Amino acid sequence: AQSVAQPEDQVNVAEGNPLTVKCTYSVSGNPYLFWYVQYPNRGLQFLLKYITGDNLVKGSYGFEAEFNKSQTSFHLKKPSALVSDSALYFCAVRDPRDLSGGYQKVTFGTGTKLQVIP
Amino acid sequence: DVKVTQSSRYLVKRTGEKVFLECVQDMDHENMFWYRQDPGLGLRLIYFSYDVKMKEKGDIPEGYSVSREKKERFSLILESASTNQTSMYLCACRAPGEGNTIYFGEGSWLTVV
């Protein structure tokens, strides 16, 4: 069974500082990994994904994430945080070999609230 | 990018009412989903559909049903709303290929009183 964990409910960072939002996963094979952002009272917006290839993935709004197979992690990063980055961030995983349930299940983490302090 | 539209953003319904949440996507994708989002629980899958008139239960289908009469439209139905169904409901569809990225609508906030 696949699972994903976001160990921090909230992350606080000062504006201009680098930020990291953590995500670890568990799958039996090679994972597909995703990050989404949710602003207040909005749906989830796709940020970036890792399918294969380069371990460092670049996405929208200056975000990037690093796939680390040995640590089973896919942490979201940004070199310089903006106040407008304050939002809820979700990590998600899919095991492409897991077809149980017939719909290629995607498992979402419980979310991490990022607060960027001016 | 895929556009997923949820026509009702905020609804207040009474206990026992029948509730329809509508969702439309603009890219002719086969896979569509309904999730429920609650604080501390993340996203939980209610139902998904892999084609017209085809549906499968997700993780928490009790109290819900769905309808997919046309490929672009996927409706969530609460036959008899209860207060524990007060939540944010998210519709989504999945693009083929490209790692099968899921795209979400803006969400429907449902309050059952």
Side-chain angles (χ1 to χ4, degrees):
Chain A
Q2 60 190 30
S3 65
V4 62
Q6 294 182 243
E8 302 155 317
D9 290 335
Q10 182 158 336
V11 170
N12 296 320
V13 63
E15 186 177 22
N17 282 4
L19 69 87
T20 299
V21 183
K22 295 179 180 178
C23 172
T24 59
Y25 67 89
S26 175
V27 300
S28 58
N30 294 317
Y32 292 173
L33 293 155
F34 307 84
W35 275 104
Y36 290 83
V37 60
Q38 184 180 37
Y39 299 101
N41 300 320
R42 306 291 297 276
L44 276 68
Q45 295 180 34
F46 169 70
L47 272 181
L48 52 80
K49 65 185 175 187
Y50 171 82
I51 304 301
T52 188
D54 194 347
N55 289 345
L56 185 64
V57 179
K58 294 188 183 296
S60 306
Y61 311 123
F63 284 93
E64 58 189 27
E66 186 169 12
F67 171 62
N68 187 317
K69 189 171 184 177
S70 63
Q71 297 186 4
T72 62
S73 66
F74 189 56
H75 301 331
L76 182 70
K77 301 181 180 183
K78 188 173 183 181
S80 179
L82 300 172
V83 172
S84 57
D85 293 329
S86 299
L88 189 58
Y89 290 81
F90 288 93
C91 182
V93 66
R94 178 164 83 81
D95 181 349
R97 299 191 309 177
D98 182 0
L99 299 180
S100 59
Y103 74 99
Q104 301 179 0
K105 183 176 182 176
V106 175
T107 300
F108 288 85
T110 53
T112 298
K113 183 178 180 180
L114 174 67
Q115 190 77 32
V116 181
I117 303 161
Chain B
D1 278 354
V2 178
K3 184 171 178 60
V4 180
T5 302
Q6 295 181 236
S7 53
S8 301
R9 294 294 320 281
Y10 302 96
L11 305 93
V12 179
K13 297 292 182 180
R14 295 191 180 278
T15 300
E17 275 193 82
K18 191 169 186 176
V19 181
F20 292 87
L21 299 180
E22 304 287 343
C23 174
V24 177
Q25 52 120 338
D26 68 347
M27 291 293 285
D28 204 36
H29 293 317
E30 292 177 345
N31 291 179
M32 296 189 74
F33 308 84
W34 275 104
Y35 289 89
R36 173 177 170 161
Q37 181 182 5
D38 299 287
L41 298 177
L43 274 68
R44 294 180 291 169
L45 182 67
I46 305 171
Y47 268 95
F48 72 97
S49 169
Y50 48 92
D51 208 341
V52 175
K53 297 189 186 295
M54 308 299 281
K55 60 188 180 185
E56 293 290 341
K57 294 179 180 179
D59 299 320
I60 52 164
E62 295 79 18
Y64 304 94
S65 63
V66 290
S67 172
R68 192 151 180 216
E69 297 296 319
K70 294 184 178 181
K71 200 167 192 178
E72 68 271 19
R73 190 178 297 271
F74 190 36
S75 302
L76 180 69
I77 303 159
L78 287 68
E79 295 289 343
S80 178
S82 63
T83 54
N84 63 12
Q85 292 178 310
T86 292
S87 187
M88 165 79 132
Y89 291 88
L90 291 162
C91 177
C93 71
R94 174 153 58 198
E98 58 167 321
N100 304 125
T101 303
I102 291 177
Y103 295 93
F104 288 85
E106 289 295 305
S108 298
W109 278 104
L110 173 65
T111 301
V112 183
V113 298

